[in-house]
Amino acid sequence: MNDHPAPTGATPRPRSPRHVLAQRARALTEARWFALSVLALIIANALLLGAETYSGLARDWHHGLRLAEHLCLAAFTVEIAVRACAHADRPRDFFRDPWNLFDLAVIACAFLPLVRENTTVLRLLRLARVLRTARFLPQLRIVIVAVARSLPGTISFLLVGTLLLYVYAMVGWVFFGEADPAQYGSLGRAALTLFLLMTLDGLGDAVHAGLEVSRWSILYYASYVLIASFVLVNVLIGVVINSLEEARELEREQSPAPDAPSPPAPIRTTIPAPFPAPLPTPDPAVDLRTRIAIARRALDDLEAVLPPLLTTQPPEPALAPAPDPARP
């Protein structure tokens, strides 16, 4: 039942070139100077895109701006290739990261013939590169993730707001359609007026104009402002804040935890022979093979200890001498 450990002098298994490439590329992408260089490249791309909006500058420096754009595209291509090489030993993990998919889509679309011929689409793709800044700014990344996670709640808010806007627009058309046709002459105009009133802009003029029609208009505007500008907006803020907390927790789980201080070494007590030292209690999280190995070692120790104890016989007591019959 004794285990046969592998010889200590065995040569380690050589690593494949793919693992070596992934290790070197991963060390490069995790370097701080690499992240700062890519961030500076993104900012330079944004400045070039803004410089092209000035007609005089774009006309005088047309060839220089085109050359700078090609250099930025080549640098971004090399950067995404290095990130892909960092996952050479596990390619699936590269496509599981949404930021990698976003970067790959933005860079790959720039090489498509239809995109390169369309100046507007190409500029929009260059503008999308600016969003890659979120990869290197954790706080911005948290905000973007929070906005994405708040979309289901925002859609529900939009549905409720649309229903509320429709009901109040119909009521406004019924009461103020004839008196104020410029703002309540149709359902569309009434909805646009109420949508602008949601920001409380021009509320005073609308209330004074409504009082000239009926005194009950104050109840109409007060209820609408209370529900639309206070209740619904606060619900939307609550949805966004909740999504922001979830995004922070997700970022905290994905970020590597700081190194925890190592616990103090346990005090080992030595038990005199022939009894062996107590075996450690197996952890439930340890796999079955490790627990079987521990059980085998315990049985080996028992086999080594029990036979000497069983074969050793205690000394017999001394017998008293038999009485001599000749003696009186």
Side-chain angles (χ1 to χ4, degrees):
M1 297 181 59
N2 293 332
D3 296 330
H4 300 283
T8 56
T11 58
R13 183 179 180 182
R15 294 182 300 174
S16 62
R18 186 176 60 180
H19 288 78
V20 175
L21 176 62
Q23 183 178 4
R24 294 182 179 179
R26 195 176 302 118
L28 180 61
T29 55
E30 293 176 357
R32 182 175 179 82
W33 66 268
F34 182 84
L36 294 178
S37 301
V38 177
L39 181 60
L41 186 63
I42 294 174
I43 296 176
N45 175 78
L47 295 177
L48 289 174
L49 188 60
E52 293 180 0
T53 60
Y54 296 91
S55 57
L57 185 61
R59 183 179 59 254
D60 297 338
W61 296 87
H62 176 72
H63 297 287
L65 292 177
R66 292 280 301 200
L67 178 60
E69 161 59 17
H70 291 316
L71 291 177
C72 288
L73 180 59
F76 283 129
T77 305
V78 172
E79 184 254 343
I80 197 65
V82 172
R83 291 191 181 277
C85 292
H87 296 79
D89 55 342
R90 38 189 176 87
R92 294 183 179 179
D93 292 346
F94 178 81
F95 296 99
R96 290 176 181 175
D97 190 353
W99 290 106
N100 290 335
L101 296 179
F102 175 76
D103 297 344
L104 184 61
V106 171
I107 301 303
C109 289
F111 292 96
L112 297 179
L114 298 178
V115 176
R116 293 181 63 87
E117 297 173 359
N118 194 328
T119 307
T120 304
V121 178
L122 185 60
R123 287 179 177 177
L124 291 178
L125 286 176
R126 292 175 59 189
L127 183 61
R129 298 175 193 170
V130 182
L131 298 178
R132 299 186 59 206
T133 313
R135 174 189 283 273
F136 308 98
L137 300 179
Q139 296 299 327
L140 181 59
R141 184 167 60 247
I142 290 175
V143 173
I144 294 179
V145 173
V147 172
R149 296 179 68 90
S150 64
L151 288 180
T154 304
I155 293 176
S156 301
F157 166 80
L158 292 178
L159 293 177
V160 175
T162 302
L163 179 62
L164 178 68
L165 199 63
Y166 178 81
V167 172
Y168 272 85
M170 286 297 299
V171 174
W173 175 76
V174 171
F175 285 98
F176 310 112
E178 297 180 358
D180 193 359
Q183 295 183 349
Y184 294 94
S186 63
L187 179 63
R189 291 184 178 182
L192 178 60
T193 301
L194 292 175
F195 181 77
L196 296 177
L197 288 179
M198 189 180 297
T199 62
L200 304 180
D201 185 19
L203 179 61
D205 298 337
V207 172
H208 285 92
L211 289 176
E212 295 178 359
V213 178
S214 174
R215 294 182 179 180
W216 293 101
S217 63
I218 188 67
L219 181 61
Y220 170 80
Y221 286 108
S223 60
Y224 174 75
V225 170
L226 180 63
I227 298 176
S229 299
F230 293 98
V231 177
L232 287 183
V233 173
N234 287 331
V235 169
L236 179 61
I237 293 175
V239 170
V240 174
I241 291 178
N242 187 28
S243 301
L244 186 61
E245 292 296 330
E246 293 179 358
R248 288 177 178 173
E249 292 293 334
L250 184 62
E251 182 72 18
R252 192 177 297 112
E253 292 176 359
Q254 294 179 352
S255 60
D259 297 335
S262 57
I267 300 176
R268 299 180 180 272
T269 57
T270 304
I271 299 179
F275 299 99
L279 297 176
T281 303
D283 189 1
V286 181
D287 57 354
L288 183 60
R289 295 181 179 178
T290 305
R291 302 180 67 177
I292 293 175
I294 295 176
R296 286 180 177 178
R297 187 159 62 90
L299 292 176
D300 293 341
D301 294 338
L302 289 177
E303 289 181 355
V305 172
L306 291 179
L309 295 180
L310 295 178
T311 55
T312 303
Q313 299 294 335
E316 297 181 357
L319 298 178
D324 190 0
R327 297 181 60 181

